[in-house]
Amino acid sequence: MAYDILAYLFEHPDALDTLQGIVGWWLLEQEIKSRITQVEQALAQLVEKGLVLENKQRDSQTRYKINPRKVKQVKFILQQKTGRPTPSGTLDGADS
């Protein structure tokens, strides 16, 4: 936590805020930056395995979706992780 506060202050040397402001804005920003990196890495792995498809748009944005050809494999992976069937309606009926 102390590292995150210092990192924010280093990036914003004129920053000045209350405890509530620090929690609500500074640390939130640091968390978002950290999560973006984690999500990018996870998506890259899922795309590499073919479980998720990426679609690069003309607006230079990339959008992601489940690979409909891999729904059975995804369902199996989710069941292995939780030890129970996937929730009702989730991934059901889409198996190819």
Side-chain angles (χ1 to χ4, degrees):
M1 186 66 56
Y3 175 87
D4 292 333
I5 294 168
L6 282 176
Y8 185 90
L9 288 170
F10 183 78
E11 291 177 17
H12 305 91
D14 295 328
L16 175 71
D17 214 333
T18 63
L19 172 63
Q20 290 77 16
I22 291 169
V23 171
W25 294 104
W26 301 10
L27 296 179
L28 178 61
E29 181 179 319
Q30 295 304 102
E31 180 66 22
I32 289 169
K33 286 180 182 179
S34 172
R35 292 286 181 168
I36 287 172
T37 301
Q38 293 171 354
V39 170
E40 283 175 332
Q41 292 170 352
L43 282 169
Q45 291 173 358
L46 293 170
V47 167
E48 184 178 319
K49 292 178 181 179
L51 301 173
V52 170
L53 300 175
E54 63 181 354
N55 187 332
K56 297 181 189 216
Q57 304 287 305
R58 282 189 222 157
D59 63 2
S60 76
Q61 295 289 320
T62 303
R63 291 171 174 79
Y64 301 88
K65 70 176 194 171
I66 192 167
N67 184 344
R69 294 181 178 177
K70 300 285 187 164
V71 170
K72 286 183 181 179
Q73 186 177 352
V74 169
K75 185 175 181 178
F76 178 78
I77 291 167
L78 296 174
Q79 288 173 338
Q80 293 299 309
K81 177 81 175 165
T82 63
R84 60 182 186 271
T86 56
S88 177
T90 305
L91 302 177
D92 291 335
D95 293 4
S96 10

